[in-house]
Amino acid sequence: MNFKFTTAGESHGKALAAIVEGLPAGLAIDLEKINHELWRRQQGYGRGGRMKIETDKVEFLSGIRHGKTLGSPVTMIIENRDFVHWTEIMSSEKLETQPKNPPIVSRPRPGHADLAGGQKFGARDLRDILERASARETAARVACGALARQLLENFGIEIKSHVIKLGNIPEIALQKTWEEICAIEENAPLNCADQEIENLMIAHIDAAKENGDTLGGIFEVVAKNPPVGLGSHTSWAEKLDGRIAQAFMSIQAVKAVEIGEGVLNAGRFGSEVHDEIYFDENNFRRRTNRAGGLEGGITNGEELRVRGYLKPISTLRKALHSVDIETKQEDLAAFERSDITAVPAAGVIGEAMLAIVLANSLREKFGGDSLDEMKRNFESYRDSIAKY
Ligand code: EPS
């Protein structure tokens, strides 16, 4: 069975929920590791007041018994602690009178789902749209990704991320090795591998905050030790780079995805781009990894490197011009509270999405109902690759 997941929940509703299907039976699950990923997603200089309210933690409702998966769907819940302040406005009960505080949202934010979503779904209170469009939803995805990651660990695959650009700093995005990324301290303010650059990024965020503005940036996710042969060249939907791009583009505010040095490669000669092949200790290797570990939509055994480009957050304290959907008069867009930037958090979400895509590919390729069966299939494939 493939690795599948779905999330549910509104930003200020009672809770977020997720259902994950396709984990093999017998996989040991460490709840603390999942909660640690949720903690990491909440970090980062430039987050707003909401992160002081939430302490995201998972509660299992199904699929795990005595610390191991049963092979059945895993259901997870993450409480929204902020819900206590929104019980009436987010109530599932029919209300006799519309609550006054906060009022109906009628001034859509440029860059947000507010207006297009409102038009599409016929919503007169744009809260009906923004609550689900909110990146709060990604807490549930990170929980799903943390399960996927625990499967990947059994196959020797590790995933990390780092921030390589914040706004326009540095001018050329950072290029860092796996070891340099591993050396970043857990509580580094921006999950950046260069402290001097990180200080400049912090000053840039401070300036944006001062101006009531927001910032985007670029994060990079690296998967160490993926086996050769995940994904396939045979059909468009099987190409792993295509699947990764879709997974990354689905992260709120991600507007471009790059595999390896894809953007720079477009302006280089072929001789400057393609990673030459050599044979070493019974292994085919590449001298460089400008392809980011993917050729023909198939993993080639090198590190997988994927970058997500984020637009600046669309809720601005110094609000942009918009139009009130009721009066049709020009007005400033709505503002309640916002992050200045969330690029480090997006990196953690990118890790989760890459873990999910890879877990799905492993499940497709190695099948099995139990982890033991899946591992046997994996070992047998690894033996055949070693003889190639
Ligand atoms: C978000 C707006 C902010 C962010 C939120 C995403 O929430 P609020 O409106 O409650 O201040 O903090 O992100 C999260 C809550 C989170 O957990 O990441 C938005 O509009 O997308």
Side-chain angles (χ1 to χ4, degrees), residues 11-12 16 38 41-42 47-51 53-54 56 80 82 86 109 112 114 127 130-140 252 313-315 336-339 342 345 349:
S11 178
H12 303 97
L16 299 167
L38 294 179
R41 194 200 68 93
Q42 290 199 263
R47 303 288 321 253
R50 178 76 185 272
M51 288 307 103
I53 301 171
E54 304 297 342
D56 294 337
N80 284 327
D82 203 19
W86 298 77
R109 290 160 292 176
H112 212 279
D114 299 347
R127 180 162 303 286
L130 70 89
E131 284 289 335
R132 180 65 185 158
S134 164
R136 175 82 189 135
E137 181 261 343
T138 60
Q252 289 80 342
I313 283 168
S314 49
T315 311
E336 275 161 18
R337 163 179 80 184
S338 174
D339 302 322
I349 301 156

Side-chain angles (χ1 to χ4, degrees), residues 279-330:
F279 194 71
D280 176 33
E281 293 172 21
N282 297 328
N283 247 329
F284 292 96
R285 297 296 313 271
R286 304 296 190 286
R287 293 196 192 283
T288 49
N289 187 20
R290 290 183 283 256
L294 280 159
E295 288 167 307
I298 309 172
T299 52
N300 63 13
E302 301 295 328
E303 284 172 2
L304 264 179
R305 286 197 173 241
V306 187
R307 292 171 169 192
Y309 289 62
L310 288 146
K311 67 179 180 182
I313 283 168
S314 49
T315 311
L316 275 69
R317 188 161 53 76
K318 198 168 81 192
L320 296 173
H321 283 255
S322 181
V323 171
D324 190 305
I325 60 166
E326 290 309 328
T327 64
K328 311 289 189 285
Q329 299 299 307
E330 190 173 332

